[in-house]
Amino acid sequence: MRPALVWLAAALLLLPLLPLIPWAFARGWFFPDLLPSRWSLAAWDYALSPAGGLLPALGVTTLIAALAATVSLALALPAARALGQRSFPGKGAMMLLVLAPVLVPGLAVTMGLQGLMTRAELTGTLAGVTLVHLIPVLPYATLLLAALFSGLDPDEEAQARSLGASPAAAFARVTLPALSPGLAAAWALGFLVSWSQYAPTLVAGAGQVQTLPLLLFAFLSSGRHDIAGAIGLVYLVPGLLVLALASRTLGRGLGASR
Amino acid sequence: MRSIALALALLPASAGAQDLLDLSWEEVVEEARGGEVNFFLWGGADNINRYVSEYLGGLLKPYEITLNRVGVADTTEAVNLVLGEKAAGNDNEGAVDLIWINGENFRTMMEADLAYCGYTDLLPNAEYVDWQSPAIAYDFGLATEGCEVPWSGAQFAFAYDSARMDEPPRSIEAILDFARENPGQFTYPAPPDFNGAAFVRHVFYEVAGGPDRLLGDFDQQVFDEVAGETWELLNELEPSLWREGATYPTSITQLQQLFANGEVALSFEYNPSQFGAGVEAGQFPETVRSYGLDGGTLANTNYTLIPYNAANKAAALVLQNLILSPEAQLEKARPEVWGAASVLVEDRLPSDVQESFAALPSHPSVVSPAELAGAALPELSADWIAAIEAGWIETVGTR
Amino acid sequence: MRRAPTLLLLAPVLLVLVPLFGGALLFGAARSLGHMPEIGMDGWSLAPWREVLTDPQTWRALALSLWIAAAATALSLVAGTALALGLARPFRGAGLARLLVQVNLTVPHLLAGAGVLLLLSQSGLAARGAAAFGWIDAPAEFPALVWDRAAAGTIAAYVVKEVPFVTLLALSTLASLGPGPVEAARTTGASRWQALRFVTLPALAPTLSAAGAITFAFAFGAYELPALLGASHPLALPVLAWQKETATSLTERPEAMALALMTAAVAAGLVGLVARARR
């Protein structure tokens, strides 16, 4: 592809985000007007009011995504080490099991979970929603970290051990630093996967855990494109921040994972 | 100290379902004080959200009760939650304290024994309601039996844009003629959309020659006779519809969007106050006008319901009582707030509230409720409604 | 030197995934067999499955979902690979271009769907642009890309989301491959196309088939986008399942679960077949 085509493709990919901007500031915008006939901050006034609940939803969504990403990394690290550096019987089956939540559409799992979560009295709680988010986040975290581990030289940690370092110290001083760009990338990916969940939050949160996608869907489905635009723009920001912060590490991390 | 401990020990830790019904209203209020109430309702309208969170939430402040408005995309989500709790054996600590509900979801909750009942006499403001009136006593043909408290009245209305049309078609027959003469200018949302199904029922009534034969219990013979002709009529109409009937809008929102942008010439809504709210929010041009039909339009009442296992029943009762108060019903009726019709009997209200109701300004886009009420059609029972929806989907929608 | 037992290392992931994922599927399977004690359905029955499998709506929904997933996957793979090849070569502003392409990775599917709706509907921004140029006079003259039977809008939204995903994975594979193999092929007389056909694409194949499998499974089974952008008929499989799950008649819940399980089984089966064929 020539650079001109690359730029064109990038522009086409971003084009669907364009209408959100005028909509967030429009009050009455009908065909065939190319721009709103009246501009207004009414959508923001509502979204930022206590009834609109945009800021609490932003906080809840961020908290859940950060928790899901962090917990996933902690759970995935040991498994990733085994999958990345060891060969053992049943490794293929294990890989398949870890991948399953990505390859099996989530609706059946989500609908089945409702019953389980309610029995465990986790429905409608932050913890319950975070737990359910682990299902799609864990596979990505595990596989990304496994790829990282497979690229590491196990001898270096062994050398540190032979020089008298404890296993924990060897891991902390040798392995962890080598992993850190990849860890950042895995965390960012986990954050984004959780960040965009709709159906699992709807079911596990039972309406009581209001994340941004739930809020967005409510106003999209009631035709309030102005409020949906305002929520949508806010919904974009943390993802872009993560991308900006992680773009260098993410690139390096994914590069190193091969 | 010891006497307080003794008093605490004697008090029920949390009044169970039966206990609450034995209490006086003052005791219920005391029980509710300082607690919270989780009110589940459709969350897609900013004006309704504001009314609930800010106005009703404010009314609860003197009782030190916190109102948690839980916005859902579909009321059935709340029903499913209660159902799941029942399956899990959670019979006392349910997360849902109050649901905004009507018709089919009410039937579902009654079928599965999920409603808390028999408390309506306890509410002081119940005196303003005519519980015997058929519009209140039956929710889509099912007796409300003290399991539901009415919130608002609603009556179906159509809408057109006065800038693009001088005189709209004012009967179902005229609307169908308009559709045939103006290809692509009319459509309706596919059932099970609530409003689309209501439009189909209007056509069903038209074919049946009025609602009389359809009232009461489901009658398969009458259904088959009327349905056959109705589906034929609607199928023959398809080539004249928007996109030649190859697809229908999947929600009332899609229809409103088509209407607002001039893609279709007519629209409708079970709550015509939404046309006024929509104009104020910039969803519709200011020239939109809503209107009733000469042969009448469907009318119903929507309600609030407490699930049998609600954790905060006392607080839910306090909220229901406030919802029924003349002041809250007046505030809700203001066009700039919500524009939803009161369910209270006007002569029973304090005279100043009566005057305020009479003096309510009307929104130019909203047909006057009095004008609509002149020709109201009763709703069918839920069995009829389900059969009509299923028949449309099978015979018209997925043909 | 003592090592932690492998099973111990695997335990944390297994202890979360197996009960949640497996438990949910088991629970769902029970319900799809008509077991729903909360409404007095204590027995077991194949009736929900029979109902679902004999309903023509199911098969039309299956066909639509297969079409959506196949089209979205094919377009995403082709466009993503081409974009990665373009970005792999140095040019002025390549870093910025990479960053822009990655933006949609952070955009949730629902938001991409909202954007496609506001852009491509018959009264959307694209139609308004066409009207401004005098190409169309009325919304109906703009092609029906949204709420259409061919699901063009749904597919477009998936492509917008998945192209960056494919591009990023392909780029990292290209980076680890390095320019060496292609240069070697070129110096031994291969044309650019031959180098692409016999060196680059085979090197990319494992990455692309993994990305394709993930994209296919997601586009086949996700609810939000076809719900937002789809026609009233046919419905995508997950939308049909959810419609039954939120139907007012409780007896449809087991059928909803059967449809959801069917969605899961078909996707898993197809992905498994592809994996086997590649081996």
Side-chain angles (χ1 to χ4, degrees):
Chain A
M1 227 187 228
R2 293 171 188 287
L5 279 175
V6 170
W7 288 111
L8 180 69
L12 280 178
L13 288 174
L14 293 176
L15 206 52
L17 299 179
L18 184 65
L20 294 171
I21 301 166
W23 267 114
F25 302 97
R27 189 173 175 82
W29 187 18
F30 307 108
F31 184 90
D33 298 345
L34 209 48
L35 283 174
S37 51
R38 277 196 291 165
W39 298 88
S40 156
L41 288 173
W44 293 93
D45 182 45
Y46 169 74
L48 296 172
S49 74
L54 179 60
L55 293 179
L58 177 65
V60 166
T61 317
T62 310
L63 180 63
I64 291 174
L67 275 174
T70 309
V71 172
S72 287
L73 277 197
L75 294 172
L77 259 177
R81 179 168 197 152
L83 288 169
Q85 295 190 328
R86 297 182 185 178
S87 59
F88 52 91
K91 185 172 169 180
M94 181 67 197
M95 279 296 226
L96 212 59
L97 183 73
V98 172
L99 259 175
V102 182
L103 296 178
V104 176
L107 192 66
V109 179
T110 299
M111 279 162 54
L113 269 174
Q114 188 168 37
L116 287 184
M117 302 294 291
T118 311
R119 277 171 176 74
E121 294 189 10
L122 284 167
T123 303
T125 66
L126 211 68
V129 173
T130 309
L131 194 62
V132 170
H133 280 202
L134 291 182
I135 299 179
V137 175
L138 256 181
Y140 286 107
T142 312
L143 295 176
L144 203 69
L145 291 180
L148 281 173
F149 271 111
S150 72
L152 284 185
D153 184 357
D155 290 346
E156 283 184 25
E157 199 177 309
Q159 267 172 18
R161 297 274 315 267
S162 69
L163 293 173
S166 70
F171 183 79
R173 294 213 196 113
V174 177
T175 310
L176 216 50
L179 280 179
S180 57
L183 279 176
W187 192 89
L189 188 65
F191 183 93
L192 291 175
V193 170
S194 163
W195 181 252
S196 57
Q197 297 297 320
Y198 170 75
T201 314
L202 175 72
V203 171
Q208 296 160 94
V209 181
Q210 278 289 346
T211 59
L212 287 172
L214 267 62
L215 215 53
L216 178 66
F217 197 85
F219 285 99
L220 272 181
S221 60
S222 66
R224 286 302 298 272
H225 297 155
D226 53 341
I227 297 176
I231 296 169
L233 289 185
V234 171
Y235 196 14
L236 274 177
V237 172
L240 292 179
L241 281 181
V242 168
L243 179 70
L245 289 176
S247 64
R248 314 203 99 195
T249 23
L250 195 66
R252 261 188 279 140
L254 283 170
S257 74
R258 294 285 146 183
Chain B
M1 242 353 245
R2 272 188 61 190
S3 62
I4 295 176
L6 194 67
L8 280 176
L10 289 174
L11 270 174
S14 91
Q18 284 316 114
D19 306 345
L20 210 50
L21 296 181
D22 297 334
L23 300 182
S24 71
W25 180 248
E26 287 68 31
E27 288 166 327
V28 170
V29 170
E30 274 321 300
E31 168 83 21
R33 191 173 291 281
E36 55 171 10
V37 55
N38 297 307
F39 187 9
F40 282 60
L41 70 166
W42 175 68
D46 62 333
N47 58 335
I48 300 175
N49 292 349
R50 273 205 152 123
Y51 172 76
V52 172
S53 289
E54 291 169 12
Y55 181 78
L56 293 180
L59 290 187
L60 281 170
K61 287 232 168 79
Y63 300 88
E64 298 158 36
I65 296 172
T66 311
L67 172 65
N68 302 321
R69 179 182 63 79
V70 182
V72 291
D74 185 331
T75 307
T76 317
E77 290 164 25
V79 179
N80 282 351
L81 179 57
V82 179
L83 195 63
E85 287 172 346
K86 187 184 181 193
N90 178 356
D91 292 332
N92 294 307
E93 294 296 315
V96 187
D97 296 318
L98 198 63
I99 311 180
W100 183 25
I101 200 168
N102 76 352
E104 296 185 287
N105 282 309
F106 174 56
R107 179 181 69 155
T108 307
M109 295 205 77
M110 293 301 277
E111 273 177 359
D113 257 337
L114 300 177
Y116 178 57
C117 296
Y119 57 82
T120 46
D121 298 340
L122 203 57
L123 309 176
N125 287 329
E127 61 167 316
Y128 299 115
V129 177
D130 177 7
W131 296 93
Q132 306 308 316
S133 137
I136 304 275
Y138 293 93
D139 185 358
F140 284 74
L142 191 59
T144 55
E145 285 179 327
C147 306
E148 279 188 322
V149 169
W151 193 5
S152 297
Q155 188 168 356
F156 203 84
F158 288 79
Y160 68 105
D161 186 346
S162 61
R164 291 189 286 132
M165 193 190 271
D166 292 331
E167 182 57 26
R170 289 184 185 271
S171 69
I172 289 294
E173 200 185 347
I175 288 171
L176 299 180
D177 282 342
F178 171 85
R180 291 186 197 102
E181 287 157 16
N182 300 276
Q185 290 287 299
F186 182 77
T187 189
Y188 53 96
D193 174 76
F194 180 68
N195 285 280
F199 172 77
V200 172
R201 285 200 293 283
H202 280 94
V203 179
F204 206 85
Y205 282 28
E206 175 80 9
V207 170
D212 295 346
R213 293 162 69 202
L214 314 174
L215 296 178
D217 290 340
F218 182 70
D219 182 331
Q220 187 71 47
Q221 204 179 337
V222 176
F223 175 82
D224 289 341
E225 188 190 316
V226 179
E229 204 178 320
T230 308
W231 307 150
E232 199 182 311
L233 181 74
L234 290 176
N235 275 326
E236 279 172 10
L237 190 66
E238 271 195 351
S240 313
L241 294 179
W242 172 76
R243 290 197 186 167
E244 296 172 349
T247 180
Y248 292 80
T250 54
S251 67
I252 186 66
T253 307
Q254 281 185 21
L255 178 66
Q256 304 302 16
Q257 216 173 308
L258 297 177
F259 175 58
N261 287 296
E263 295 183 67
V264 296
L266 293 175
S267 185
F268 44 75
E269 176 88 49
Y270 220 129
N271 183 1
S273 69
Q274 287 301 324
F275 288 111
V279 165
E280 293 313 310
Q283 263 181 303
F284 295 114
E286 282 166 11
T287 43
V288 159
R289 298 290 177 267
S290 53
Y291 66 100
L293 299 183
D294 297 336
T297 54
L298 289 167
N300 80 20
T301 305
N302 52 66
Y303 301 79
T304 59
L305 176 148
I306 304 177
Y308 84 104
N309 66 346
N312 308 297
K313 289 199 184 73
L317 289 175
V318 172
L319 178 54
Q320 275 187 322
N321 190 53
L322 287 172
I323 281 173
L324 278 185
S325 68
E327 295 72 26
Q329 289 277 331
L330 175 66
E331 178 73 8
K332 173 169 67 72
R334 293 186 195 282
E336 72 276 17
V337 174
W338 184 348
S342 154
V343 288
L344 309 182
V345 181
E346 212 159 329
D347 333 336
R348 297 187 192 169
L349 299 178
S351 58
D352 59 320
V353 179
Q354 284 191 35
E355 281 162 26
S356 304
F357 265 110
L360 280 180
S362 62
H363 192 284
S365 296
V366 181
V367 56
S368 107
E371 184 188 324
L372 272 182
L377 298 173
E379 268 295 359
L380 300 179
S381 73
D383 289 335
W384 277 99
I385 290 174
I388 294 173
E389 277 182 27
W392 185 91
I393 290 173
E394 196 182 321
T395 322
V396 183
T398 61
R399 218 173 33 109
Chain C
M1 190 167 75
R2 273 198 54 210
R3 306 197 319 172
T6 302
L7 196 59
L8 194 67
L9 294 180
L10 298 176
V13 166
L14 288 176
L15 284 177
V16 172
L17 277 190
V18 172
L20 279 181
F21 187 73
L25 285 180
L26 274 181
F27 185 91
R31 174 169 289 186
S32 80
L33 291 169
H35 192 71
M36 206 173 161
E38 56 268 40
I39 57 165
M41 292 164 62
D42 290 323
W44 302 88
S45 152
L46 282 172
W49 282 97
R50 204 178 305 125
E51 186 66 36
V52 160
L53 294 176
T54 54
D55 183 354
Q57 264 216 78
T58 304
W59 300 103
R60 274 175 284 195
L62 176 65
L64 178 68
S65 286
L66 284 173
W67 157 246
I68 291 174
T73 307
L75 289 172
S76 301
L77 286 180
V78 171
T81 308
L83 202 50
L85 291 171
L87 282 169
R89 287 182 304 174
F91 61 92
R92 254 186 64 184
L96 178 64
R98 275 188 194 212
L99 197 67
L100 289 180
V101 168
Q102 283 179 32
V103 164
N104 283 3
L105 278 178
T106 73
V107 176
H109 280 89
L110 191 56
L111 203 51
V116 166
L117 175 69
L118 299 177
L119 182 70
L120 294 184
S121 76
Q122 283 177 301
S123 57
L125 201 54
R128 292 170 199 219
F133 281 108
W135 298 337
I136 64 169
D137 291 322
E141 293 166 32
F142 193 77
L145 299 173
V146 162
W147 306 332
D148 58 320
R149 284 191 159 198
T154 311
I155 294 167
Y158 280 125
V159 169
V160 161
K161 264 299 291 171
E162 305 306 337
V163 162
F165 172 67
V166 175
T167 306
L168 190 68
L169 290 182
L171 262 179
S172 68
T173 308
L174 288 175
S176 61
L177 184 67
V182 172
E183 278 165 13
R186 291 299 302 278
T187 51
T188 54
S191 74
R192 272 181 60 186
W193 284 111
Q194 283 170 327
L196 178 68
R197 168 75 184 77
F198 295 106
V199 179
T200 313
L201 287 183
L204 281 176
T207 307
L208 292 182
S209 60
I214 292 174
T215 302
F216 186 93
F218 189 83
F220 183 75
Y223 162 80
E224 304 98 293
L225 291 184
L228 194 64
L229 301 166
S232 65
H233 173 73
L235 297 172
L237 210 42
V239 178
L240 184 62
W242 191 253
Q243 198 178 81
K244 286 186 184 288
E245 176 73 6
T246 53
T248 45
S249 155
L250 290 174
T251 47
E252 286 183 39
R253 300 291 193 278
E255 290 169 34
M257 198 59 90
L259 280 170
L261 285 171
M262 183 173 157
T263 311
V266 171
L270 284 175
V271 169
L273 277 181
V274 172
R276 177 153 300 196
R278 277 204 43 82
R279 224 168 262 165

